[in-house]
Amino acid sequence: MQKLTNKEEEIMHILWKLEKAFVKDVMAEIKEDQPHYNTLSTIIRNLEEKGYVSHQAYGNTHQYFPIISMEKYRKTFMNTAIENYFNNSYKSMVSFFAEEEKISAEELREILAIIEKKK
């Protein structure tokens, strides 16, 4: 799975939310730094070339839809991030978030309960 640029990832989040959309529909969802219509169309076609999106043709216009689920992308992204930034250690990742005060002791207890329940 090819890595997405920040803008491509933003567009994918919109397509996951909308499920099916024409370029104009995606454009309407972009609140800040709205690209030109042709630029957005190119980004979506690039997503299609990368295998994230497909389309249904209606004459000269295309309705796009994701063919990679958010869950599959998230899993790949997280595995890559953990591998690249935490030496493949989930313990290091959780420690990082605890040190940065991004996760509380209560949340850690909830995570442990989930892990214990799965055993």
Side-chain angles (χ1 to χ4, degrees), residues 4 6 21 54 56 65 86-87 90 112 118:
L4 298 180
N6 289 340
S54 189
Q56 174 74 41
F65 54 91
F86 300 103
N87 292 330
Y90 288 85
L112 285 172
K118 291 207 178 224

Side-chain angles (χ1 to χ4, degrees), residues 10-41:
E10 177 186 351
I11 302 310
M12 281 304 301
H13 280 280
I14 293 169
L15 287 170
W16 284 320
K17 175 185 168 189
L18 298 177
E19 297 180 2
K20 290 184 178 183
F22 296 97
V23 174
K24 66 180 178 64
D25 300 325
V26 175
M27 180 75 80
E29 292 289 318
I30 300 173
K31 305 300 180 211
E32 295 179 17
D33 298 325
Q34 197 174 63
H36 186 276
Y37 182 93
N38 291 339
T39 302
L40 179 57
S41 181

Side-chain angles (χ1 to χ4, degrees), residues 12-13 16-17 66 68-75:
M12 281 304 301
H13 280 280
W16 284 320
K17 175 185 168 189
I68 298 291
S69 70
M70 182 188 284
E71 292 75 24
K72 183 174 181 180
Y73 181 75
R74 178 178 25 213
K75 184 176 182 177

